[in-house]
Amino acid sequence: MPRSVLIRIDRMFDLKPEFLQSVSNLEALEHRLAEDLSLLEIPPKEWVPASEYEGARILDVVIIGAGMCGLVAAAALKMLGIHNIVCVDRAPKGLEGPWVTFARMETLRSPKQLTGPALGLPALTFRAWYVAQFGTNAWEQLGKIPKNQWMDYLIWYRKVFALPVRNLVSVMNIEPVHDDLLALNVIDSGSGKAETLYARHVVLATGRDGLGGSYVPEFVESVPRKFWAHSADDIDFDALREKRVAVVGAGASAMDNAATALEAGAAKVDMIIRRKDLPRINKFTGIASQGVVQGFAGLSDEWKWKFLEHTLGAQTPPPRDSTLRVSRHPNSRFLLGTAVRGMHEEPESVVLKTSCGDLEYDFVIFATGFRVDLDRRPELVKFAPFIRFWKDVFTPEPGMENGELASSPYLGADFEFLERVPGSCPSLRLVHCFNYQATLSHGKLSGDIPAVSDGGRRLARGIARSLFVADRETHFANLVAFETPELLGDEWTDAAAAIADLQRGAAE
Ligand SMILES: Cc1cc2nc3c(=O)[nH]c(=O)nc-3n(C[C@H](O)[C@H](O)[C@H](O)COP(=O)(O)OP(=O)(O)OC[C@H]3O[C@@H](n4cnc5c(N)ncnc54)[C@H](O)[C@@H]3O)c2cc1C
């Protein structure tokens, strides 16, 4: 909003000077960003030749998902001059991803100074955005980033980069038109209209559950939903007031859901934890470095597996703040060493069958994570039988088996799916898996905040290379046709007489 308009609103509503100052500081930051981009000649001009299919303009890239990874992918593509793109998300604007929906922590786990999605631009960092509005003192006093504020930052990021996002658009399926073209059937829940988008590349920035969905043990599914939820569900916590609640699991989401139930007035909350002790060390964070970010993809399959098997085996501890947020309530219990073996319904409650006996509750929250299950992703149904997974090509040493790793897609250098049987589905290479499931192939570049810009750049460079190679004939024809002279021919005088003199001299 222009400052002049704000000043008039200020008179009408008695707005505080600090508010006006923060708005103008943010405007100044946006100005600085625009200037930095202009100095760096970003974004460069468009270079991908336009093409059509049956009268419709073909998009160079469709990104599915406008969460953090989708936005970074879109920005990284724009920074390489690939402008004919669209990013679609089924969520309403501002509600993409987990941050203000099912993320129930108070703050991010990540340290505040991480540059995350900023793509190397200082003015695009969370820190610059925060300091512009709240000042340096507030930044120094800030502990961790409140999760809602992270969402506000992502909304700003999208705005200042003018990213082409369409909200309320769900991708229902993707299918090959031919080896170099994909069709996406989408539904716009705003207008209710179905539409087909044609794309040369598709990026799946579909999040933690992008290749499957939330996981609960099979025995849970036959129990009526009024008695249980997964931690990523929309849960009515007010309804848990004065209820007996169990939370199965001990990760970050388990703690945050338990804390939210306790804060909503649950009579008691039991944490049902299979392990005899909580993991205490966050392994991968311990070796975070540019070496890991840039080098992981260069490891052999054996070493990639070894690194991640060790990390997953050790498990990620819940954040200390989230754990204290639960344990400070006297009506919370940590039932360590308690494995859940079954669940059945009673007239007014449910009973969890555990290794420590039967436990009765009014409601159970399963914070049991996500898993790959392509049957649950209709958008991938046409490609599912052809995708190569790690279990198709890699056998770990005895004792190092891991189901989660085995079901990771075995990706190529640009996050693209590879065929299980070479030649069976050539268009599969046009679909790039830019979500958490890429971790075993690429390292943590497409799910968490720290290295998401590195992931976005790797993805965008790969797509740029692939587009250029595919259009080589057009680019070559442009090269041949290019006839703008740099020299006009009047820059020198004909030296024929001087050369003749030189030759005569040499002959004598
Ligand atoms: C509760 C929680 C807390 C986290 N906290 C941290 C943290 O503190 N630090 C950290 O580094 N990481 C954290 N993470 C991990 C990671 O940063 C987040 O999961 C982040 O949201 C990943 O971004 P994304 O873009 O991959 O996925 P998302 O943000 O989940 O975005 C995916 C988007 O895809 C859309 N979508 C999916 N399928 C379709 C479809 N078919 N059609 C249209 N749209 C579709 C969804 O609507 C969604 O908006 C956390 C994750 C969770 C779940």
Side-chain angles (χ1 to χ4, degrees):
M1 190 181 300
R3 190 164 158 73
S4 55
V5 175
L6 272 162
I7 289 167
R8 284 199 300 274
I9 296 173
D10 168 38
R11 288 194 205 117
M12 288 162 63
F13 296 105
D14 191 23
L15 293 178
K16 297 266 179 297
E18 308 87 71
F19 171 73
L20 291 173
Q21 187 59 48
S22 77
V23 172
S24 90
N25 287 347
L26 197 58
E27 277 179 1
L29 177 67
E30 289 170 15
H31 214 77
R32 185 179 131 199
L33 176 65
E35 206 165 277
D36 288 348
L37 291 174
S38 145
L39 287 169
L40 293 166
E41 293 283 325
I42 295 173
K45 69 177 184 344
E46 186 158 28
W47 53 270
V48 187
S51 53
E52 288 190 353
Y53 180 74
E54 294 188 342
R57 172 92 196 256
I58 295 172
L59 289 151
D60 296 330
V61 186
V62 172
I63 300 164
I64 310 177
M68 180 176 70
C69 286
L71 297 182
V72 171
L77 286 164
K78 273 188 84 165
M79 286 174 81
L80 294 184
I82 301 172
H83 299 285
N84 177 29
I85 60 177
V86 70
C87 188
V88 297
D89 199 301
R90 60 187 169 206
K93 186 173 179 182
L95 295 183
E96 303 88 354
W99 312 111
V100 292
T101 52
F102 68 89
R104 300 188 170 109
M105 68 277 194
E106 291 170 329
T107 65
L108 300 193
R109 179 198 284 264
S110 312
K112 64 181 177 181
Q113 69 275 10
L114 288 181
T115 56
L119 289 164
L121 298 163
L124 198 60
T125 54
F126 176 84
R127 179 173 174 177
W129 175 84
Y130 186 92
V131 169
Q133 295 171 92
F134 310 108
T136 313
N137 282 346
W139 171 256
E140 272 154 21
Q141 277 156 27
L142 179 71
K144 292 205 166 160
I145 301 171
K147 68 180 181 82
N148 289 19
Q149 214 157 32
W150 184 251
M151 184 77 235
D152 291 344
Y153 163 70
L154 291 178
I155 292 169
W156 177 78
Y157 180 98
R158 163 181 170 174
K159 185 194 90 172
V160 290
F161 238 99
L163 298 176
V165 180
R166 284 180 63 187
N167 283 97
L168 299 172
V169 174
S170 302
V171 176
M172 307 313 288
N173 73 58
I174 315 167
E175 52 190 66
V177 178
H178 53 67
D179 288 357
D180 299 311
L181 185 64
L182 302 169
L184 294 92
N185 295 316
V186 307
I187 292 185
D188 184 327
S189 62
S191 66
K193 279 196 188 133
E195 192 186 335
T196 302
L197 304 176
Y198 295 99
R200 299 180 64 185
H201 287 264
V202 168
V203 173
L204 300 178
T206 40
R208 190 68 184 74
D209 58 343
L211 297 189
S214 52
Y215 166 75
V216 292
E218 224 167 85
F219 55 75
V220 175
E221 279 163 13
S222 56
V223 178
R225 287 304 303 250
K226 65 176 181 173
F227 290 119
W228 67 273
H230 184 271
S231 55
D233 289 340
D234 187 9
I235 300 172
D236 178 4
F237 282 90
D238 288 338
L240 300 184
R241 200 177 158 71
E242 291 173 8
K243 300 280 193 244
R244 299 161 298 167
V245 178
V247 176
V248 179
S253 290
M255 292 300 161
D256 293 321
N257 275 272
T260 309
L262 288 159
E263 288 158 11
K268 71 164 185 174
V269 174
D270 284 349
M271 307 292 307
I272 313 284
I273 303 167
R274 184 173 41 203
R275 291 199 158 207
K276 289 202 170 68
D277 194 7
L278 288 181
R280 300 184 188 197
I281 298 159
N282 195 344
K283 283 283 187 173
F284 223 68
T285 312
I287 60 157
S289 72
Q290 273 300 307
V292 179
V293 170
Q294 309 303 339
F296 189 90
L299 294 173
S300 65
D301 289 353
E302 285 76 14
W303 274 105
K304 285 180 179 174
W305 189 279
K306 205 165 160 169
F307 270 94
L308 284 197
E309 195 274 333
H310 182 77
T311 310
L312 293 187
Q315 292 195 323
T316 307
R320 180 174 160 78
D321 291 347
S322 301
T323 312
L324 290 171
R325 197 178 151 205
V326 176
S327 62
R328 69 170 168 248
H329 292 268
N331 52 339
S332 68
R333 293 193 299 182
F334 287 62
L335 303 183
L336 290 153
T338 308
V340 178
R341 297 191 173 137
M343 180 162 107
H344 68 260
E345 180 188 0
E346 294 283 321
E348 298 296 330
S349 62
V350 276
V351 171
L352 281 181
K353 296 192 88 55
T354 79
S355 54
C356 299
D358 288 358
L359 302 168
E360 190 180 352
Y361 297 101
D362 300 308
F363 198 75
V364 183
I365 299 172
F366 287 88
T368 36
F370 302 90
R371 80 166 168 198
V372 171
D373 180 0
L374 291 181
D375 289 345
R376 291 170 70 181
R377 303 303 303 202
E379 66 268 41
L380 287 174
V381 83
K382 287 270 162 43
F383 291 104
F386 304 104
I387 295 174
R388 186 191 299 181
F389 287 93
W390 274 73
K391 62 177 172 247
D392 298 321
V393 290
F394 183 77
T395 309
E397 283 172 26
M400 293 193 49
E401 298 84 358
N402 183 302
E404 186 178 338
L405 295 180
S407 63
S408 297
Y410 190 96
L411 302 175
D414 311 328
F415 293 91
E416 76 278 23
F417 285 123
L418 299 177
E419 297 158 293
R420 194 158 50 81
V421 179
S424 57
C425 182
S427 58
L428 195 55
R429 74 188 194 292
L430 308 175
V431 185
H432 303 257
C433 179
F434 193 55
N435 58 31
Y436 173 83
Q437 304 301 340
T439 306
L440 183 53
S441 297
H442 280 268
K444 287 191 169 205
L445 266 63
S446 53
D448 292 347
I449 294 167
V452 68
S453 285
D454 294 280
R457 280 188 288 238
R458 187 178 295 174
L459 171 81
R461 284 180 191 142
I463 292 177
R465 186 175 49 230
S466 174
L467 287 168
F468 184 84
V469 171
D471 292 331
R472 58 195 174 276
E473 287 185 10
T474 311
H475 291 300
F476 185 73
N478 289 343
L479 173 73
V480 172
F482 184 71
E483 287 197 327
T484 311
E486 210 167 310
L487 288 181
L488 302 176
D490 58 359
E491 294 86 354
W492 69 94
T493 50
D494 191 347
I499 291 170
D501 275 354
L502 282 174
Q503 285 169 343
R504 224 174 298 121
E508 282 165 7

